[in-house]
Amino acid sequence: MQRDYPLERMRNFGIIAHIDAGKTTTSERILYYTGMIHKIGEVHTGETTTDWMEQERERGITITAAAITCFWNPTYQRGLKDAAGKDDVSQKVRFNIIDTPGHIDFTVEVKRSLRVLDGAVVVFDGVAGVEPQSETNWRYADEANVPRLCFINKMDRMGASFEKSYKSILERLNKNAVRFQLPIGTEADHHGVVDLLRMKAYTFSGEKGIDIIESEIPADMLEDAKKYRAEMIEKVVETDDAAMQNFLDGKEISIDDFKKVCRKAVIANKIFPVFTGSALKNVGVQLVLDAVVDYLPSPLDMPAIKGIDPNTGAEIARHADDSEPFSALAFKLQNDPFVGQLTFFRVYSGTIEAGTYIYNSTTGKKERLGRIVRLQADKREEVKKVFAGEIAAAVGLKDALTSHTFCDEEKPIILEKIKFMEPVISLRIEPKTKADQEKMGLALRKLGNEDPTFRVSSNQETGETIISGMGELHLEIMVDRMKREFTVEANVGKPQVAYRETILGEAEAEEKYVKQTGGKGQYGHVKLNIKPMLPWPEGEKVPKNVSNYDDFRFINSITGGAIPGEFIPAVEKGVHEAMDRGILAGFRLVNIECELTYGSYHDVDSSEIAYKIAASIAFQAACKRAKPVILEPIMKLEVVCPEKYMGDVIGSISSKRGLIEGSEPKGMNLAIHAKVPLSEMFGYTTDLRSMTSGQGSAQMEFDHYDVVPKNVETEIIEKKK
Ligand SMILES: Nc1nc2c(ncn2[C@@H]2O[C@H](COP(=O)(O)OP(=O)(O)OP(=O)(O)O)[C@@H](O)[C@H]2O)c(=O)[nH]1
Ligand SMILES: [Mg+2]
């Protein structure tokens, strides 16, 4: 079976932005203009295609990233005929698009999407310009090296300003953002855009702006258009020596040559073209799609994906090529209302067919791959075979989790894992009845599998179940989903900060656990050394005697069989369990390197359980002497309010152990930036509202964990008792 689309005519891209910038509204237009849907649904009526979850439709926000496939024939190809006299669709491109949420609590969706996408369209609210989540998502895209186009949306809104928004991109995101268009008219009068490359004006008419009308640039805009065109060309040719030389020689660059040079520059993250319009008023979206075709990379433009050969530990690479060994990354699990469990994966190399077995190199297990589907709006299209560079979803896989690698069993590779943030907030959850109790475990496990930033733990002493996540809204949605999708009724406690514990010093401890009880006794003896964990040196291979986790490292330095090899995993397990229990106030210990340096054994009495207990006791004893401290999440806070409330707002932040970092004008308001401990911030939005007569708003995002002051530590420990 052949692939239906050549790699160079595929674009995998995401739509990312701050909350409410218009990503879903834009995605819905894309589905309409590409003919995937015949009626546009709006966010405010809860009828869009990509916001399909009940909670999304009710609240008008995106919660989970939705992947959709569609096909686009660039507008500049329209009306062209091929050699046979038929419509020329030689440039038609397949889009795999992911509409992501903007709310910080669901930021995991942006992170994992960017990992498997080749490009992104970053949407901005034309009134607000760059907002906190625009910055965060831009940073994620930087980390993932994803080329970007910018779309300044909502130009129809009162107070919209293309120039101000563009300036905020230059100042806060990247100075290589370049105007490729200008809006025609703003606010209620906004109705078209000027394309600076073609030097034409475009307006949109017909049903939902489906017809694109080209005309001359309005006379009063010509001057600006010429100026900004020159600026655009100069910025772009600067990235290419040959083009620069021609430019200096005074030669006019052709549209095609400009596109070629620009494409290279965008893919190299040297240029970020800026477009504009209004998704809601159907202005400009089609031209952004043309730009996706012209400037964003196909899988062929991306560097080979790197991974580790699990047999040798050596770094190996796979190219976007159907003839290479199969490799793919699972990036998202979703319980689909129509077909059940879906595992989304991106194929990096080779191909895979439905009805065969898929090898998971992360678990070392094989599973039958029954069906593969691609999501096209609300249809699920069955596909027989998936090729390099494609994104699809497997139906019904049981063992695969986010970040797992699928590959050719004969030519194994493990791709780099997606790094997720740690949950900062948690609450106690209690099933209402015995029947709920049984269902709750299963429901929480499923939800946790879908979302790596949602964690479930149980306190063995109290029997309590604790769920943790990224914020109050995150946990609220999860509890709501548990009720509706799994019909589990539960009582929930108040949200609490997810504290952690760690050590600042180094210590050693030894424990000999011996029990003589008539028959076979117990014997386990270990000596441990612990210290704060430093990052593993980049590029250095992890030796066999080291288990390296994100926040814990275990080194087995036993030589000469002082402890038989079969008991070492029990020692590690004992340490793990002790870490989960914490040392000061029962919060999980993190960032510790633990070295097993010495021990002994007994021919008859040694057992796994004895080593586990000995290790737990020794580890806790060592922690007590290694300057243990409690860590708390510190949040990055932005408060936007009229200037006259500045004094009150700053006062309130300071009284919450906050650190003011600065302020800047933002439209008619002032934006105040600060770092504040999360524990002080519950209910802050309400306080702020009353402090500013409803005119202030706050945005918060996790920044880092920091040691709590001694007096606060005492308070936390007291409370725990
Ligand atoms: N005036 C105006 N409103 C718009 C425009 N685009 C979107 N909106 C409105 O802005 C609100 C948010 O739009 P969405 O498309 O849900 O924004 P989003 O970026 O997907 O939001 P999240 O996914 O929740 O982060 C909705 O009420 C839209 O109707 C636009 O171009 N102009
Ligand atoms: Mg949305």
Side-chain angles (χ1 to χ4, degrees), residues 577-594:
E577 287 182 8
M579 285 185 72
D580 282 343
R581 277 197 297 274
I583 192 81
L584 290 173
F587 299 107
R588 197 161 68 84
L589 278 152
V590 294
N591 292 339
I592 298 181
E593 178 175 302
C594 173

Side-chain angles (χ1 to χ4, degrees), residues 17-26 42-44 51 60-63 99-103 123 153-157 277-281:
H18 186 82
I19 189 162
D20 267 359
K23 298 172 291 292
T24 300
T25 306
T26 305
E42 299 294 2
V43 174
H44 55 259
D51 283 355
I61 57 166
T62 305
I63 292 167
D99 174 26
T100 65
H103 195 287
V123 181
N153 185 35
K154 299 200 181 186
M155 285 310 297
D156 62 296
R157 273 188 68 195
S278 160
L280 189 68
K281 297 287 155 69

